[in-house]
Amino acid sequence: MTSLAFDYRRPDSVDQALALLAEADPGTKVLAGGHSLLPIMKTRLAQPGRLIDIGHLGELRGVHRLGDGGLSIGALTTYSRLLANPAITVYGLLADVLPTIGDVQVRNRGTIGGAVAHVDPAADLPACLLALDAEVVVRSARGGRTIALTSFFEGAFNSVLLPDELITEIRLPAASGDYGSAYRAQEQPASGYALAGAAVVIGRSTGGGGRFDRAAIGITGVGECPYRASAVEQEFLSSGDPAAAAHATDGVLVASDIHADREYRTALIRVQVRRALEAAIERVG
Amino acid sequence: MAEHVTLVVNGQRREVDVEPRRLLVEVLREDFDLTGTHVACDTSQCGACTVHMDGQSVKSCTVLAVQADGATVTTIEGLAAGGELHPIQAAFWEKHGLQCGFCTPGMIMSAADLLARVPDPSDQQIRHAIHGNLCRCTGYHNIVAAIREAAVTMHTGSASDSGIVG
Ligand SMILES: Cc1cc2nc3c(=O)[nH]c(=O)nc-3n(C[C@H](O)[C@H](O)[C@H](O)COP(=O)(O)OP(=O)(O)OC[C@H]3O[C@@H](n4cnc5c(N)ncnc54)[C@H](O)[C@@H]3O)c2cc1C
Ligand code: FES
Ligand code: FES
């Protein structure tokens, strides 16, 4: 299959990429690993007139420890590179999720920036980053801004990212106190994407009397984009009981399709949230 | 407009002018005549088109040739050194790891990627590593056995008992 013809640009630096993006032709698309974009271009669901290939920009790759103990992950860092990085093993849910995304070849090409920018309603990683309170660092020729991931997604394949903006980095806050996390998903067997996936991060301050004082739950495959299940978070904080999972779809219009109708998907996500909570509780330490 | 692309393919420097929308697998097969790399699904599902790009396995139907500019690429043709089968190829033969053979080049490139990272994999690790490679014939059992055998041969540095060489 062949995509429509397009104009191809390969900037040598982030600044050059931003200058190209500032030309703000609506048909322009950034190309990172290409593992979401190229398949839809080949089937002609997407027909960008120009691709700006950032794939060679080393300055957007790599994982660094920040001064406050958090992690900065370059937008072009692939799933494989993340998986091989010991710094991510403290985030148990990343160790859960990364080996399940696609396959080896997909993980060798797909990037964290692409996963966040694409906003696939069933992608695995965005739910985990939501639960980790990740921030998205973006730059444009006009300047830069840092956006909490909780206010980044706007709907299916839609985010607050402006056409001239590039994601340069994803930031994860430091894991502090007693802390446990897990990701559990029911995969669509053919595609491997999540029919219903739940990412859980829970924590308690040391000496806080055993009660959890932090709970963050990211959900994918269920709504029109990944979301935080705040009703579960609140219920779990007061009860400490994984049965809080019953609130997983409160206030959400649950997706319904040939793979899982609304009722089934609602049941599925409740089970995944409960399992993820139970696994995270086991791991607290 | 055509872009000039320079690659090192199976140890040989190659240069080619390509239209940006052309895929790496198209350039390998059509421009370089390296037809050992197969195309089956053309939608990044089956892994028949797997090659190594800068030492990592990739599905070459989902990489533009221009994205591979400057890269070192190894295809199935680059595995057999001096006309002698690579230990993974020999093990696929020995263990009957193929039937129609269509998936085999991609399967072997995935196996080579795994064994470079994990010299002594468990069956579970082998199955996880070939998750992105579909085979419609074998039922995978003999493919797993072949990769396990190749791991042993590559470890001990000796050819398998069959004495099969290219
Ligand atoms: C066979 C297959 C199986 C898969 N299975 C799964 C799975 O099980 N779970 C899952 O979650 N995902 C899966 N994926 C999707 C995969 O995770 C995507 O490759 C990845 O999410 C997108 O990253 P990319 O670098 O390839 O993005 P690209 O395809 O290059 O880009 C995707 C979109 O993001 C934009 N973009 C990319 N980078 C930036 C940036 N830095 N700044 C601004 N915009 C940017 C692009 O313009 C484009 O719109 C699968 C993909 C394939 C092909
Ligand atoms: S032909 Fe590339 S994955 Fe099937
Ligand atoms: S041997 Fe026929 S597809 Fe694998």
Side-chain angles (χ1 to χ4, degrees):
Chain A
M1 281 179 292
T2 310
S3 68
L4 286 189
F6 50 82
D7 177 33
Y8 176 79
R9 297 299 169 91
R10 191 192 307 146
D12 292 325
S13 65
V14 170
D15 287 336
Q16 256 186 39
L18 298 178
L20 284 168
L21 280 171
E23 294 172 16
D25 173 341
T28 297
K29 275 276 177 196
V30 167
L31 176 68
H35 271 47
S36 288
L37 189 52
L38 294 176
I40 57 176
M41 284 174 63
K42 288 171 70 183
T43 51
R44 304 200 175 180
L45 289 169
Q47 308 185 340
R50 174 184 280 188
L51 288 190
I52 300 178
D53 184 359
I54 59 167
H56 293 69
L57 300 180
E59 50 186 316
L60 293 179
R61 230 182 294 273
V63 180
H64 312 279
R65 179 78 58 197
L66 295 166
D68 62 4
L71 277 190
S72 156
I73 305 173
L76 267 188
T77 310
T78 60
Y79 296 121
S80 294
R81 294 269 180 245
L82 266 184
L83 200 50
N85 194 307
I88 69 116
T89 54
V90 297
Y91 302 96
L93 83 176
L94 291 184
D96 284 343
V97 74
L98 289 168
T100 73
I101 296 176
D103 48 54
V104 177
Q105 297 95 315
V106 170
R107 294 193 290 276
N108 283 341
R109 295 295 292 163
T111 67
I112 187 169
V116 169
H118 196 56
V119 205
D120 189 307
D124 294 285
L125 195 61
C128 297
L129 298 175
L130 269 180
L132 287 168
D133 281 320
E135 290 176 329
V136 187
V137 182
V138 310
R139 277 180 60 193
S140 71
R142 297 172 288 112
R145 55 181 180 140
T146 301
I147 309 162
L149 193 62
T150 45
S151 44
F152 186 81
F153 302 130
E154 290 231 288
F157 306 108
N158 205 356
S159 72
V160 300
L161 195 71
L162 296 169
D164 66 340
E165 286 178 323
L166 189 71
I167 299 178
T168 54
E169 214 184 299
I170 305 295
R171 290 197 176 161
L172 302 183
S176 63
D178 283 344
Y179 159 97
S181 70
Y183 181 69
R184 291 291 181 271
Q186 177 70 45
E187 288 189 353
Q188 203 284 330
S191 75
Y193 283 86
L195 277 180
V200 164
V201 176
I202 52 173
R204 56 187 166 211
S205 326
T206 348
R211 281 182 74 85
F212 290 105
D213 54 17
R214 275 172 299 139
I217 294 163
I219 304 240
T220 188
V222 175
E224 57 165 354
C225 61
Y227 65 93
R228 281 275 290 264
S230 29
V232 182
E233 295 171 0
Q234 277 156 29
E235 177 65 23
F236 180 76
L237 284 179
S238 66
S239 70
D241 185 348
H247 296 281
T249 61
D250 286 11
V252 174
L253 179 62
V254 177
S256 192
D257 60 28
I258 54 164
H259 303 300
D261 66 17
R262 188 156 291 141
E263 195 185 346
Y264 177 55
R265 202 177 234 111
T266 304
L268 266 185
I269 190 59
R270 288 178 180 165
V271 172
Q272 302 309 322
V273 171
R274 181 174 48 73
R275 288 181 183 165
L277 275 168
E278 286 165 356
I281 292 169
E282 285 260 310
R283 285 179 183 171
V284 167
Chain B
M1 210 183 66
E3 293 282 325
H4 191 71
V5 168
T6 306
L7 301 162
V8 175
V9 183
N10 300 333
Q12 226 186 317
R13 191 183 151 92
R14 312 289 294 250
E15 296 191 37
V16 64
D17 288 321
V18 293
E19 214 196 325
R21 62 176 165 170
R22 289 188 72 216
L23 304 170
L24 176 60
V25 71
E26 292 171 338
V27 168
L28 292 173
R29 288 178 55 87
E30 295 163 16
D31 298 38
F32 301 159
D33 223 8
L34 293 168
T35 52
T37 303
H38 292 168
V39 180
C41 69
D42 200 10
T43 58
S44 67
Q45 307 297 319
C46 77
C49 63
T50 301
V51 301
H52 295 184
M53 196 168 126
D54 291 332
Q56 286 194 311
S57 59
V58 302
K59 291 175 173 174
S60 58
C61 75
T62 310
V63 176
L64 299 172
V66 286
Q67 288 180 289
D69 189 19
T72 297
V73 174
T74 307
T75 70
I76 187 73
E77 288 91 344
L79 278 197
E84 203 163 305
L85 288 188
H86 184 278
I88 304 176
Q89 292 172 309
F92 268 66
W93 181 338
E94 175 67 19
K95 292 292 172 189
H96 202 61
L98 61 143
Q99 288 178 25
C100 80
F102 202 86
C103 69
T104 313
M107 213 46 104
I108 288 179
M109 295 314 285
S110 281
D113 177 275
L114 169 70
L115 296 180
R117 284 179 291 117
V118 188
D120 188 18
S122 65
D123 281 10
Q124 204 194 352
Q125 285 172 309
I126 293 172
R127 286 180 183 275
H128 186 68
I130 59 170
H131 187 73
N133 293 76
L134 301 181
C135 174
R136 296 295 80 178
C137 302
T138 64
Y140 302 99
H141 183 87
N142 286 354
I143 291 176
V144 175
I147 298 173
R148 201 189 311 120
E149 158 96 355
V152 174
T153 332
M154 286 165 76
H155 251 344
T156 57
S158 66
S160 63
D161 333 321
S162 73
I164 289 173
V165 286

